[in-house]
Amino acid sequence: KFTLFTPNPDGVYLEFDLNIMAVPDSLKQSDGTIKFKIFAMDARGWGASGEYSYGYNSPTSYVMADGDWHHVSLHLKDFKASNNSGLFTADQVTATAGAYCHPNSLRILAFVFGTANSSGKGTMTYGLDNVKFVIN
């Protein structure tokens, strides 16, 4: 559970270290990366009434699946308000026009990993460390 209080997302980053330890080749992109995005759930929760009540999608990102730790930094201004249809794939970002992440309502972060092809299946083992909000 995360809480962030700031007047706007300018200069605010979500940062973390990610290590893809074990993953089937069918889940990797052709360049050896894993596709992912972050879905940040709003304080109002699933299906609650109100403006942008479902959450926020980050841009689609990639991390090397080489067993090493990689630092990831995502600017909150690049998260877009979305309904829950944006949660299901790493490619889909259903955004509400003109809406950006409202930092004061963030509560729960979910990682959404994508596959290199629609038939890709398997179990992935990954490590996550040093999750933090950074204000520059």
Side-chain angles (χ1 to χ4, degrees):
K1 180 177 177 180
F2 295 88
T3 304
L4 172 66
F5 294 98
T6 184
N8 64 60
D10 290 337
V12 182
Y13 296 82
L14 170 64
E15 295 190 359
F16 52 89
D17 296 324
L18 187 60
N19 180 354
I20 307 298
M21 299 177 207
V23 61
D25 287 339
S26 64
L27 300 181
K28 294 180 186 177
Q29 302 299 304
S30 59
D31 62 359
T33 61
I34 294 294
K35 181 179 4 180
F36 74 95
K37 73 175 178 179
I38 305 293
F39 188 83
M41 192 162 67
D42 190 283
R44 297 179 182 133
W46 297 109
S49 62
E51 184 181 19
Y52 317 132
S53 61
Y54 289 110
Y56 309 93
N57 283 300
S58 76
T60 300
S61 300
Y62 298 84
V63 66
M64 285 301 298
D66 56 7
D68 292 330
W69 286 97
H70 298 277
H71 185 72
V72 178
S73 179
L74 300 170
H75 198 293
L76 290 189
K77 73 176 182 179
D78 296 328
F79 281 61
K80 301 297 181 190
S82 172
N83 61 27
N84 64 356
S85 67
L87 179 61
F88 299 117
T89 74
D91 290 318
Q92 183 179 359
V93 180
T94 306
T96 304
Y100 60 85
C101 175
H102 294 111
N104 291 352
S105 67
L106 297 182
R107 296 297 183 269
I108 297 172
L109 303 178
F111 281 78
V112 181
F113 292 97
T115 60
N117 58 67
S118 58
S119 63
K121 293 185 168 117
T123 301
M124 179 171 62
T125 304
Y126 66 94
L128 180 65
D129 201 5
N130 300 318
V131 181
K132 62 190 169 230
F133 289 108
V134 175
I135 300 173
N136 287 334

